[in-house]
Amino acid sequence: MADIIIENGTVLTMDPANEHTLKEGTVVIEDGLIKDISLSTNERADTVIDASGCVVMPGLINTHTHAGMTLLRGYADDMALNQWLEDNIWPVEAQMSDDDIYAGTLLACVEMIKSGTTSFADMYIHVEMVAKAVERSGMRAALSYGMIDFGDSIRADRELEEGKRFVKKWNGSADGRITTMYGPHAPNTCSEELLIRVREQAEHDNVKVHIHVLETEDELNQMKEQYGMCSVNMLDRIGFLDNNILAAHCIWLSGGDIEILRERKVNVSHNPVSNMKLGSGIAPVKELIDKGINVSLGTDGCASNNNLDMFEEMKTATLMQKVSKLDPSLVPADTVLKMGTSNGGRALGIKSGILKKGYNADVIIVDMNKPHLTPLYDPISHIVYSARGSDVRTTIVQGQILMDNYELKFLDENTVMEDARKAAADLIERVDIKRE
Ligand SMILES: C[C@H]1O[C@@H](n2cnc3c(O)ncnc32)[C@H](O)[C@@H]1O
Ligand SMILES: [Zn+2]
């Protein structure tokens, strides 16, 4: 007896080895995994979901965010990264408590579950509380503690210890839903020594590394001044780059940098909305994809986006490339859908993002019976160009239904919102008192 059967839906498997679209397909789920994908089944299950008129697809995978930053949604807009971080975000983060991070991360999980994201890669502070919130939410996540030393060796020791403690305690926890990574913040906020130690430690612990790379022209200039070379060259010189690296943003890349990322098989997380909002620039996504580099998608945090809707991210990713080169054929819908699903699974080293026997049962059901999704010629076109996160009807992670027919099963959305509102108000009051 299976746990869940989803029947009568249009199934987008995203499996490169198989047909991408199965009309009126059936997905069988057992013990947290996909047991079968077919046109019909003789299996019986405890729960049978009729997905008529819906698209059944892998849950979306957000490969770069800072979930706790939901508390800072709308707090500081319309400025560039450095001013945004240094004058606005970091002073508030310095006042954040464990409870704030828990409330903010839980709010992020509610937002993600409701908009069809089943896994995310996070880099943040008070990271134990991030893990506790993820554990409670039922989501899957690759979590890292964001380390910064600004060249201070005592601070570097402390930061690395914190990162190590977190990896040791949480890797593989929550029935395997939580994996961990090391999270050195960026090449211009971490010393070369810290980056080298992180790389060695990550290899020792067999975990991946999540880092911001060449997000701004300021970073490029700073690195050239400090090291006489750009971030990618510096990271390559110290032997940092390989296929266990998840590099977020990667906007200010030269042709040579792209070649290095290809050679080293680095995974790139593209964050188009945040990149536009902070005025950081346009990443060379077409060039990266043409080189065969694994490019996935991330929202970045809620203070630079200002939401966690991966449907919006997919649409923005393709539109941004088209307009930047005045070529509408660039990064077509099926490519961007892979970026939001299977490429994300590959980047995080998890068997998610594809509906295939033996893969994690991380599945979403998107309701196509909506005016803005009518008529329906091509489900992939609608998922990328017309659908929104709010069209997701059902979200399943590791075979557990987290949202059924638009209703969250394990979290009370109103309580989560109220807790977040209160945490945000108290936090900003503390910040204001400190500033006076
Ligand atoms: C983990 C730290 O990273 C900070 N952060 C959030 N968004 C960005 C971004 O786009 N670039 C660089 N750093 C970012 C976050 O506030 C934490 O301090
Ligand atoms: Zn970021």
Side-chain angles (χ1 to χ4, degrees):
M1 183 92 154
D3 297 322
I4 303 171
I5 291 177
I6 306 169
E7 56 187 18
N8 305 321
T10 298
V11 181
L12 303 181
T13 65
M14 304 312 295
D15 178 1
N18 215 324
E19 256 316 91
H20 276 190
T21 309
L22 263 182
K23 275 209 163 146
E24 303 205 349
T26 300
V27 178
V28 181
I29 295 173
E30 194 173 285
D31 292 334
L33 302 176
I34 307 280
K35 189 179 182 192
D36 187 35
I37 310 267
S38 54
L39 282 174
S40 63
T41 181
N42 295 325
E43 292 264 7
R44 289 154 55 85
D46 294 330
T47 304
V48 177
I49 300 174
D50 180 10
S52 304
C54 297
V55 165
V56 182
M57 59 179 274
L60 297 164
I61 301 181
N62 183 345
T63 56
H64 179 68
T65 191
H66 312 276
M69 292 186 91
T70 52
L71 287 198
L72 303 180
R73 190 196 316 265
Y75 176 71
D77 297 322
D78 310 324
M79 57 190 99
L81 181 73
N82 282 355
Q83 187 195 355
W84 177 76
L85 273 178
E86 290 165 18
D87 301 345
N88 296 274
I89 300 299
W90 281 339
V92 183
E93 287 179 344
Q95 300 300 317
M96 279 183 170
S97 67
D98 278 358
D99 290 349
D100 293 337
I101 303 287
Y102 186 78
T105 307
L106 213 51
L107 178 65
C109 291
V110 165
E111 188 179 347
M112 286 191 271
I113 293 166
K114 289 191 73 171
S115 56
T117 293
T118 49
S119 303
F120 65 102
D122 201 72
M123 179 206 291
Y124 214 44
I125 49 176
H126 300 257
V127 68
E128 286 258 333
M129 305 312 287
V130 177
K132 284 182 183 166
V134 170
E135 187 172 37
R136 162 129 187 254
S137 74
M139 288 191 75
R140 189 183 304 285
L143 305 179
S144 60
Y145 170 61
M147 296 177 252
I148 295 180
D149 71 344
F150 289 125
D152 172 343
S153 64
I154 295 171
R155 186 164 170 184
D157 289 347
R158 263 204 326 261
E159 292 287 83
L160 187 56
E161 273 318 301
E162 179 72 28
K164 278 162 67 174
R165 214 177 13 249
F166 179 69
V167 166
K168 195 161 180 204
K169 180 163 174 195
W170 287 93
N171 199 36
S173 62
D175 291 327
R177 285 186 290 108
I178 294 179
T179 50
T180 61
M181 301 169 95
Y182 282 94
H185 177 257
N188 61 333
T189 54
C190 293
S191 63
E192 187 176 332
E193 293 73 27
L194 176 58
L195 292 168
I196 292 169
R197 290 168 73 192
V198 164
R199 178 69 179 69
E200 284 168 4
Q201 194 61 44
E203 199 167 315
H204 176 268
D205 295 342
N206 197 21
V207 298
K208 295 177 182 289
V209 178
H210 186 174
I211 183 169
H212 297 92
V213 175
L214 285 175
E215 180 176 1
T216 59
E217 194 175 18
D218 280 347
E219 175 185 333
L220 177 65
N221 292 335
Q222 198 185 325
M223 292 298 286
K224 278 186 177 163
E225 201 169 300
Q226 191 177 346
Y227 295 99
M229 62 185 80
C230 79
S231 307
V232 170
N233 279 279
M234 186 276 238
L235 292 171
D236 197 39
R237 178 172 59 73
I238 63 172
F240 191 86
L241 299 175
D242 68 10
N243 74 338
N244 286 314
I245 301 297
L246 174 60
H249 299 287
C250 293
I251 298 171
W252 289 88
L253 301 173
S254 66
D257 295 337
I258 294 174
E259 193 48 40
I260 292 172
L261 297 180
R262 184 195 68 77
E263 261 175 44
R264 305 290 178 226
K265 299 185 170 57
V266 169
N267 299 280
V268 172
S269 176
H270 176 46
N271 297 237
V273 173
S274 173
N275 295 347
M276 289 203 288
K277 184 162 182 281
L278 295 172
S280 302
I282 300 175
V285 170
K286 179 190 160 18
E287 291 83 348
L288 292 166
I289 292 172
D290 284 352
K291 289 274 179 190
I293 293 168
N294 184 42
V295 184
S296 57
L297 281 181
T299 56
D300 214 348
C302 255
S304 63
N305 186 300
N306 289 4
N307 65 47
L308 301 173
D309 187 339
M310 285 286 289
F311 285 85
E312 190 175 300
E313 214 64 43
M314 288 193 288
K315 181 169 178 174
T316 307
T318 168
L319 297 188
M320 194 178 182
Q321 292 302 307
K322 293 176 194 313
V323 74
S324 72
K325 303 259 171 55
L326 300 181
D327 181 351
S329 71
L330 296 191
V331 192
D334 60 334
T335 301
V336 90
L337 188 53
K338 279 184 212 148
M339 290 165 69
T341 54
S342 51
N343 293 5
R346 197 171 138 199
L348 304 189
I350 53 174
K351 287 180 90 174
S352 299
I354 295 178
L355 299 185
K356 181 179 184 173
K357 187 175 175 178
Y359 271 59
N360 292 320
D362 297 354
V363 184
I364 60 173
I365 303 177
V366 187
D367 188 353
M368 306 304 272
N369 189 27
K370 302 272 177 85
H372 63 279
L373 300 174
T374 302
L376 173 59
Y377 301 110
D378 172 2
I380 294 181
S381 166
H382 273 14
I383 292 296
V384 171
Y385 292 117
S386 309
R388 309 171 188 135
S390 53
D391 298 322
V392 176
R393 192 184 94 175
T394 299
T395 300
I396 300 172
V397 177
Q398 200 148 294
Q400 188 172 38
I401 302 174
L402 303 185
M403 180 172 74
D404 182 25
N405 216 8
Y406 300 101
E407 201 180 297
L408 295 180
K409 302 307 286 177
F410 301 105
L411 293 169
D412 179 55
E413 159 175 359
N414 288 318
T415 308
V416 171
M417 285 194 291
E418 195 44 39
D419 289 349
R421 273 187 210 111
K422 191 168 177 324
D426 292 352
L427 171 64
I428 299 310
E429 196 178 312
R430 288 200 299 281
V431 172
D432 288 346
I433 289 170
K434 181 112 184 144
R435 274 193 173 137
E436 274 164 17

